[in-house]
Amino acid sequence: MKAGLTCAALGVTGLCMAGGAGVTLPAPPAGPPAQVGGLRVCERGDTTYLLDRSGRVRSLTYARLVPDNRLLVRQSYDRAGRLTGLSVQWSGFAGRLLDVRGSFDARGRLVRETGFRARGVTTPLRSYLRAVPKGVTC
C-alpha cells in the first residue's frame, strides 16, 4: 500500500464513510525493526538473522512461500553458537504436513522431537537446517 492512496482507490469506501471519501491512508512502516529483544536484525536474501551484541547468530529464520506451499524454519543458538532448537512448519495444498519442534544437546544431537507429522512425511529434521555463514554483519 502506498502513501497517498484514497479509500476509493483501494475499494474500501464502506470502511471510510465515517472519515469522509477523501481520507488518505498512512504509509506502512519501512521494513523490520533494527532490534528485537536486544538482538540486531539482519536480512540476507530469504534468511533473517538475529545477532547478539558480540555478533554471534542467536536465531536464523527462513521461509519458502510458493502457491499452495509454505515452509517456515526457525533455528536457535546459544551464546556459544551451538544449535539448541529447530522449528519447522510446512503446509501444502492438502493442509498441514509438518509442525515439529526439535531440541538439540551441546554436541548437536537431536534429543527430542515434538509436534505433528502428516502420514508419509519422514524427512529428518536435520535436513531443514541451514548453515550459519561466518561473519554475518549488519
Side-chain angles (χ1 to χ4, degrees), residues 31-36 39-52 56-65 71-77 130-133 136-138:
Q35 288 199 353
V36 173
L39 300 174
R40 288 191 324 257
V41 176
C42 201
E43 290 188 19
R44 299 285 184 259
D46 67 343
T47 306
T48 302
Y49 302 95
L50 295 180
L51 305 168
D52 63 13
R56 285 198 188 268
V57 174
R58 298 299 300 274
S59 174
L60 177 154
T61 303
Y62 72 91
R64 293 193 184 130
L65 306 171
L71 174 68
L72 176 65
V73 178
R74 289 187 187 107
Q75 299 170 211
S76 56
Y77 297 87
R130 187 171 277 189
V132 176
V136 177
T137 58
C138 293

Side-chain angles (χ1 to χ4, degrees), residues 85-137:
L86 176 68
S87 170
V88 180
Q89 296 173 334
W90 180 28
S91 62
F93 179 75
R96 185 171 67 151
L97 300 169
L98 193 64
D99 188 1
V100 177
R101 283 153 301 286
S103 299
F104 295 82
D105 65 9
R107 297 181 81 185
R109 296 178 297 201
L110 180 66
V111 292
R112 185 170 184 208
E113 180 179 312
T114 59
F116 170 80
R117 283 182 179 264
R119 189 176 352 169
V121 178
T122 59
T123 308
L125 276 184
R126 289 188 98 37
S127 68
Y128 295 101
L129 287 175
R130 187 171 277 189
V132 176
K134 298 283 184 198
V136 177
T137 58

Side-chain angles (χ1 to χ4, degrees), residues 1-5 10 24-33:
M1 196 179 328
K2 300 238 186 227
L5 290 178
L10 293 172
T24 301
L25 299 174

